[in-house]
Amino acid sequence: MKFNRILLSATLIVVALVVQVSVLARLQLPGAVPDLVLLTVVGLALVYGPVSGSLVGFSAGLLADLAPPADHAAGRYALVLCVIGYLVGLARPENGRLTSAAGPMAVVVVAAVGSTLLYAGVGALVGDTAARHVGLGSLLFTAAVYDLLLAPFTVPLIMALARRAENDPLADAGGGNGADVASGWLSSGTGLRIGTQRGGLRVKTARSRASRAGRIKGVKRL
């Protein structure tokens, strides 16, 4: 992952986790809890794609596993968000931009339901039967509703921040080709590369010098 992706993802995940633990978890809503960390992973995965989305999901889930008052085995939520981040990243459009809000909202519902099912499934494998006592159906419904209500206020903002970070002039715009970052930024919007511009300036300078020399010779002959 690029440095700007890591920095932005880490910042958003920490902020989301703090809000999750200190505010949303204390609302005492019936059923599930609005999952701001999941929405952060969804927003980033929709911009970064499946590989980066899985890495962001694993990091966010592991941090949530270790943050108090977590009462489950470490790595459980990391596995869930890693899978969710990868699958959501597959829904990323080729150009990185979404044409309507229906797509992200559908992704949020699927992610909320899928993460709840995966979390309950992993819990069943390790002997955690808390979901059976609460009611899996109630958890699925409330998780989808809460995350869907919270998504319009979070997912578009997260995606906008991620896209802006991707267009950062300090980002590696050249990828593996080793292109000059500053050159790519300065030449954006013109369709010209800095090397071409420099060559053009040199040609113009040479022509101006030649014309000046011709004028001076003409004056001397007179």
Side-chain angles (χ1 to χ4, degrees):
M1 291 180 66
K2 300 178 182 178
F3 176 76
N4 56 335
R5 288 188 179 186
I6 297 175
L7 182 61
L8 177 65
S9 300
T11 303
L12 292 177
I13 289 171
V14 170
V15 172
L17 185 60
V18 170
V19 175
Q20 178 84 30
V21 174
S22 60
V23 179
L24 298 179
R26 299 184 179 182
L27 294 178
Q28 296 182 352
L29 297 173
V33 177
D35 198 339
L36 185 58
V37 177
L38 173 66
L39 295 179
T40 302
V41 173
V42 168
L44 294 174
L46 284 174
V47 177
Y48 293 156
V51 177
S52 297
S54 62
L55 294 176
V56 170
F58 178 81
S59 303
L62 185 60
L63 188 61
D65 287 332
L66 301 176
D71 56 352
H72 55 268
R76 180 176 171 183
Y77 202 44
L79 175 61
V80 171
L81 288 188
C82 180
V83 176
I84 294 297
Y86 181 82
L87 295 178
V88 171
L90 294 177
R92 174 183 179 269
E94 294 182 359
N95 58 0
R97 296 185 179 275
L98 299 167
T99 57
S100 66
M105 293 301 102
V107 171
V108 167
V109 173
V110 173
V113 174
S115 63
T116 305
L117 289 174
L118 284 174
Y119 188 82
V122 175
L125 293 177
V126 298
D128 185 3
T129 58
R132 298 179 181 178
H133 300 292
V134 177
L136 184 58
S138 176
L139 286 177
L140 292 175
F141 177 76
T142 53
V145 171
Y146 295 156
D147 291 347
L148 189 60
L149 292 176
L150 187 60
F153 305 99
T154 56
V155 175
L157 177 60
I158 293 170
M159 295 179 66
L161 291 174
R163 288 184 185 130
R164 186 171 183 179
E166 288 293 278
N167 296 327
D168 193 334
L170 297 179
D172 185 9
N177 296 328
D180 187 3
V181 176
S183 300
W185 175 48
L186 293 174
S187 62
S188 60
T190 62
L192 299 174
R193 300 187 62 84
I194 296 300
T196 306
Q197 291 178 352
R198 289 177 180 173
L201 291 176
R202 290 176 182 174
V203 172
K204 290 182 180 179
T205 303
R207 290 178 179 176
S208 62
R209 290 178 180 176
S211 61
R212 288 179 183 177
R215 292 176 183 175
I216 293 174
K217 291 179 180 179
V219 172
K220 289 183 177 179
R221 290 176 180 177
L222 293 175

